[in-house]
Amino acid sequence: MQRLLVALLAAFDAAIAAAVGLVVLLAPLTLLWTLAFGVTADWGALWPLTGTLWQFGHGVPLDVDVTADVLRATGIAPDAAAFTLSVTPLAFLLFTLLFAARSGARAARAGAWLLGALSGALTFGIIATGVALTSTLSAAQTALVPAILLPTAVYLVGAVCGAVRIAWEDGDGGFLDRVHDVVDSWADWGPVPSAAVRGAAFALVGVTAVSALAVALMTLTRGGEVVALFQAARVDALGAGVITLGHLAYLPTIIVWAASWLAGPGFAVGVGTAVSPAGTQLGVVPGIPVLGLLPESTSMWMLIVILLPIGAGAFAGWAVRSRLVWEGTPLGTGPRAAIAGGIGVLTAVVAALAALLAGGSMGPGRLADAGPAVLPFALALGGEVLLGAAILLLSPRHRDELAEERTDRWVAEMTASDLAFDDSTDRVPAATTWPGSPSAFDTAPLGDDGGFRLPKRDPDDPLR
């Protein structure tokens, strides 16, 4: 009954996650639809538009086909009538990922992490299938298989990661416990996997924080350019609201671009363009207001910003090393080097996935290449984080750290000695004579040279 309840609750969590994501899109679209077309407008396209944007927010590419009437009304060249949008607004994907991780963690605490993750992913997949089948637009189409598999994969990855994190620490009484026992049997190498994952999480949080700070600083320094592009677009309040909501949905994507800039490779905003600390090469860019944050020029001295990802790696190394000292598990050079390597590799993998989702095509023609390149970004960020983590993990141990380890060993030895003494005392037979008798008060000499002895009490002494 408990496992059935866990499966039902996980399915309910998945349904809530999908419903919230759809409502977050549907509510403002309904308001904008009403303001733009009135209450008598044709509402038939509202749900297909919502479902299509929801799929797009989970990494499903959009194939856009502009009709001939729109081409004539807007003056768009015929060769730009068909193009693909694949730069994902990562806000929706991150929401689903975090919601799924929370659901998986609850299932793990209930003792059925795998069942909960699979039940939630299956429910989310069913909802994604329904959305894909009922939200078809002629102007923006998505392939059916990716529209089903990609949202389901996002939820499954989040649920499994959240569940495994809890089950690994608390135990699951099954497969993960057996794996944990095998890892523990590796002696000094046992803490390496969990320490590497923990360090990678610290590194990614650090990189995200400094990237978000960079975006905030660019907004403060180049906010006037953004306002100028808003004015140049000549949109009313309704159009400005739509553009602002789009910018908010793309905010995590912009942070990924900023992370690639800080790591060194930078990103592109069109074919033949490059925005990096080493230099900026821009041609004609679209008049999207957020692109006003792009720096006009940079110099080679800006490459100093790669110290920030290195600092994030050093922060991760410090956090892992402090945890190992606190747990009393001093490791040799080999395991610590393996932890640093694991932090770098895991960071590179996450960076590659982020670049894959945050890059691609954002329009026709030269806009078919935008965002960070996957391999350079992954290698650069992974290598910089590895360097920072290795500096902290492989540096000589400080005297305070060594003193703490000696103190821990001394406390452990004293505790073991006390336990052994108590155990030996329990095995001594109780005395059968009254206090004061020779057998009760005779003692052995304290030194080999017949030193001090406790005096024997006379049995006839009236003070005994």
Side-chain angles (χ1 to χ4, degrees):
M1 180 62 184
Q2 182 182 2
R3 295 177 65 84
L4 177 60
L5 182 61
V6 171
L8 292 176
L9 290 177
F12 183 73
D13 281 342
I16 292 296
V20 170
L22 289 168
V23 168
V24 165
L25 279 168
L26 185 60
L29 284 177
T30 302
L31 178 61
L32 295 173
W33 202 269
T34 303
L35 294 176
F37 304 108
V39 294
T40 60
D42 181 14
W43 296 90
L46 188 59
W47 167 251
L49 178 61
T50 301
T52 300
L53 292 178
W54 184 79
Q55 296 165 23
F56 182 48
H58 288 84
V60 183
L62 288 181
D63 294 325
V64 180
D65 188 6
V66 182
T67 61
D69 295 338
V70 175
L71 288 177
R72 285 192 298 268
T74 57
I76 299 176
D79 56 354
F83 57 91
T84 300
L85 288 178
S86 57
V87 180
T88 306
L90 291 177
F92 300 101
L93 187 147
L94 287 178
F95 170 78
T96 300
L97 199 68
L98 294 177
F99 204 103
R102 185 180 178 185
S103 176
R106 283 198 293 264
R109 292 189 182 97
W113 68 270
L114 183 58
L115 178 63
L118 293 178
S119 175
L122 178 62
T123 303
F124 203 86
I126 293 173
I127 296 175
T129 303
V131 172
L133 294 176
T134 58
S135 57
T136 303
L137 288 176
S138 58
Q141 298 181 354
T142 58
L144 180 61
V145 174
I148 297 173
L149 293 183
L150 287 179
T152 306
V154 170
Y155 192 92
L156 179 62
V157 169
V160 170
C161 290
V164 170
R165 182 183 68 86
I166 298 299
W168 184 265
E169 295 177 355
D170 300 341
D172 67 337
F175 173 73
L176 285 183
D177 280 348
R178 291 192 293 271
V179 174
H180 207 303
D181 292 339
V182 172
V183 173
D184 288 341
S185 66
W186 296 348
D188 286 348
W189 296 88
V192 170
S194 58
V197 173
R198 187 181 302 114
F202 276 104
L204 291 171
V205 169
V207 171
T208 303
V210 297
S211 302
L213 181 61
V215 173
L217 291 176
M218 291 301 295
T219 303
L220 290 176
T221 57
R222 296 187 59 82
E225 298 293 333
V226 176
V227 174
L229 287 175
F230 263 109
Q231 295 174 347
R234 299 184 182 276
V235 293
D236 55 6
L238 182 61
V242 172
I243 295 174
T244 302
L245 291 177
H247 286 172
L248 291 177
Y250 272 99
L251 181 58
T253 307
I254 297 170
I255 292 176
V256 174
W257 289 24
S260 182
W261 190 86
L262 293 175
F267 54 89
V269 288
V271 177
T273 64
V275 181
S276 70
T280 299
Q281 297 178 357
L282 290 176
V284 179
V285 297
I288 302 174
V290 72
L291 296 183
L293 300 179
L294 298 178
E296 295 180 354
S297 62
T298 54
S299 66
M300 291 295 294
W301 292 102
M302 289 300 296
L303 284 174
I304 197 174
V305 297
I306 66 173
L307 292 177
L308 295 175
I310 294 175
F315 169 67
W318 170 81
V320 170
R321 183 166 180 166
S322 300
R323 178 67 176 265
L324 293 174
V325 172
W326 181 76
E327 292 177 345
T329 54
L331 300 178
T333 303
R336 283 185 286 158
I339 292 173
I343 292 173
V345 170
L346 291 175
T347 302
V349 171
V350 175
L353 292 175
L356 187 64
L357 292 169
S361 172
M362 65 176 187
R366 61 190 302 268
L367 296 180
D369 182 16
V374 175
L375 188 59
F377 178 39
L379 292 179
L381 186 61
E384 290 158 4
V385 167
L386 170 61
L387 177 60
I391 291 174
L392 266 292
L393 286 170
L394 300 179
S395 60
R397 288 181 287 181
H398 192 266
R399 60 177 179 272
D400 294 338
E401 185 177 338
L402 294 173
E404 186 175 354
E405 292 180 5
R406 287 195 296 268
T407 302
D408 293 340
R409 287 196 299 269
W410 180 80
V411 171
E413 292 173 359
M414 293 299 296
T415 303
S417 176
D418 291 343
L419 292 175
F421 177 77
D422 293 340
D423 186 60
S424 63
T425 303
D426 293 339
R427 292 194 295 268
V428 174
T432 57
T433 57
W434 290 97
S437 64
S439 59
F441 288 92
D442 287 348
T443 60
L446 297 179
D448 296 336
D449 56 351
F452 177 77
R453 290 174 178 268
L454 290 176
K456 293 183 178 181
R457 187 180 292 274
D458 186 0
D460 297 328
D461 189 345
L463 297 178
R464 65 182 177 88

